[in-house]
Structures are given as C-alpha cells and as structure tokens.
C-alpha cells in the first residue's frame, strides 16, 4: 500500500532507472553473444547454402562448418606468430597446399585464403556441383540422381554418394560408367559409338 501511495505521489516522468554494473563473469558471457546476428539468421544462412548446393543432409553442413572453424582458427593462430617463425612457415605451407589440392582455395600464396574459408567452398567440391560445372548435368537435382543411380565413376570407382568431395586431381577422371545409358547417348550424339556397341543398342 505504501509503495502504491508513493507511486501515486511521484509525478509522471520522474522514474529513473539505474542499471547496476555487470559482474566479471557476466561481462565474459556477454562477449560471446552477438546481438546483431541472431541464431535464427545463422539458421537461415544454413538453409540458403544447403538449398543452393542441394545438400540434403544437415550433418554434412555441420561437418563442413566444424572443419571451417578448425581451419580458420589455425590460420588465426599462425598469424599471431612472427612471420619468420619456422613452425609458422612450415605449417602454413602444408595447410595451404592441402586446401589448394582439395580445391577449397584458388591460390597457395596467402594465409588470408585460409582465414576466409567458408562452408560454401566445401559445398562447391561436392560431386553433383562438379558434374554441373563440367557440363555433365544441367542441374544439381539431375546430377544427384545420376550419382545415386550409380552412373558416375571417379577414376576406377563408381561413386553413389552425393557428398563425395572432388579434389583438383580427381576432376579429370570423372566420367560415366561403361554401362551408362547417358554415356551411350552422349557418344552417339558425338558419333563416337562404334559399330559393336551399336549392335547392342
């Protein structure tokens, strides 16, 4: 009753709100919170990337995201070391070489490329995406179907996993399996199907 009476006596606009100082552990917790990019934004970005590259398994995306986090963290650690540090030089060269040969970066000359690595870089190395880039398929849905049907070969091996990541050196060895109807259609179109094969068509 006393509080209500006091509130009634206080003129409008006279309320003052003084926030207490945050404790040390509270400040540390707030440092980890990004009020600009909410979790929902991250989820939206995840959905956009998955849709763009036809990633149907969310675990694949999360696996790529974890790898990206580890790589960018290592790159940041290397940058803190002196530029002439032998460990930094050796580790940086090895890391950049692996990322380049995997097709995740386009040059081995800058550590910045490793720092800027994204999940999309991994998605672009997925077999369906590479098939589209090589003009072996018109779209990702079709490419995924060809792979799941066992019509695509990488080197001597038939690949049926759409999450298969293609390295730079593998790109030249992607082809249709010998029994693939698509291969026969393409060969016939290009007049490369020999008479023996034509007899069996």
């Amino acid at each position: 009753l006393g509080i209500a009476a006091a509130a009634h006596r206080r003129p409008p606009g006279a309320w003052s709100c003084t926030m207490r100082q945050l404790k040390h552990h509270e400040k540390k917790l707030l440092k980890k919170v990004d009020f600009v990019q909410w979790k929902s934004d991250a989820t939206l970005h995840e959905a956009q990337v998955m849709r763009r590259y036809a990633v149907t398994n969310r675990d694949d995306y999360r696996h790529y995201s974890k790898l990206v986090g580890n790589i960018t963290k290592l790159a940041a650690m290397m940058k803190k070391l002196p530029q002439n540090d032998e460990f930094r030089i050796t580790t940086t060269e090895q890391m950049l070489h692996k990322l380049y040969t995997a097709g995740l970066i386009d040059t081995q000359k800058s550590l910045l490329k490793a720092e800027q690595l994204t999940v999309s870089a991994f998605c672009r190395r997925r077999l369906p995406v590479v098939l589209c880039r090589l003009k072996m398929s018109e779209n990702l849905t079709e490419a995924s179907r060809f792979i799941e049907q066992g019509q695509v070969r990488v080197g001597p091996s038939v690949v049926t996993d759409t999450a298969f990541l293609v390295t730079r050196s593998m790109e030249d060895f992607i082809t249709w399996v010998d029994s693939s109807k698509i291969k026969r259609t393409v060969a016939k179109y290009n007049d490369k199907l020999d008479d023996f094969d034509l007899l069996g068509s």
Side-chain angles (χ1 to χ4, degrees):
L1 184 62
I3 296 175
H8 180 71
R9 288 195 300 269
R10 185 181 292 272
W15 286 103
S16 62
C17 180
T18 304
M19 183 177 175
R20 68 172 176 81
Q21 274 201 324
L22 295 174
K23 296 178 181 178
H24 177 69
H25 72 279
E26 291 173 333
K27 289 180 180 178
K28 288 186 69 177
L29 283 172
L30 280 176
K31 282 183 180 180
K32 298 180 181 179
V33 179
D34 186 352
F35 290 103
V36 177
Q37 182 165 348
W38 299 92
K39 187 176 181 180
S40 58
D41 293 334
T43 305
L44 177 62
H45 177 70
E46 177 182 324
Q48 289 173 339
V49 172
M50 289 181 66
R51 184 169 59 251
R52 180 178 182 183
Y53 296 103
V55 179
T56 56
N57 190 340
R58 180 167 287 179
D59 287 340
D60 289 341
Y61 182 95
R62 289 173 178 171
H63 181 60
Y64 302 151
S65 182
K66 186 175 181 180
L67 287 172
V68 168
N70 291 338
I71 292 166
T72 53
K73 184 177 180 180
L74 178 59
M77 289 172 62
M78 291 301 103
K79 284 193 72 173
K80 292 180 180 180
L81 297 175
Q83 289 190 359
N84 59 350
D85 184 90
E86 187 175 342
F87 176 75
R88 169 178 170 164
I89 294 171
T90 303
T91 305
T92 298
E93 287 178 352
Q94 291 176 350
M95 178 171 62
L96 292 178
H97 176 70
K98 287 183 178 180
L99 293 175
Y100 179 79
T101 54
L104 298 172
I105 58 176
D106 55 10
T107 178
Q108 304 181 61
K109 296 180 180 179
S110 174
L111 188 59
L112 186 63
K113 291 291 183 179
E115 276 191 296
Q116 296 175 341
L117 191 67
T118 63
V119 171
S120 293
F122 279 91
C123 292
R124 285 191 289 268
R125 301 311 302 179
R126 289 168 65 92
L127 186 53
V129 179
V130 177
L131 281 183
C132 290
R133 192 168 68 247
L134 294 176
K135 309 297 183 184
M136 293 175 68
S137 181
E138 293 184 357
N139 56 66
L140 292 174
T141 302
E142 183 183 63
S144 297
R145 185 172 69 250
F146 291 157
I147 294 165
E148 290 168 350
Q149 290 173 350
Q151 300 197 54
V152 180
R153 190 177 67 196
V154 180
S157 305
V158 177
V159 177
T160 57
D161 184 5
T162 56
F164 183 87
L165 297 180
V166 182
T167 64
R168 287 183 186 276
S169 60
M170 288 179 182
E171 283 192 35
D172 295 333
F173 300 98
I174 299 175
T175 185
W176 305 110
V177 297
D178 293 336
S179 59
S180 173
K181 292 180 179 179
I182 301 169
K183 180 181 180 180
R184 294 171 65 82
T185 302
V186 172
K188 188 182 291 185
Y189 178 78
N190 292 330
D191 294 326
K192 292 180 181 179
L193 196 62
D194 60 34
D195 295 336
F196 180 79
D197 285 335
L198 283 171
L199 290 174
S201 61

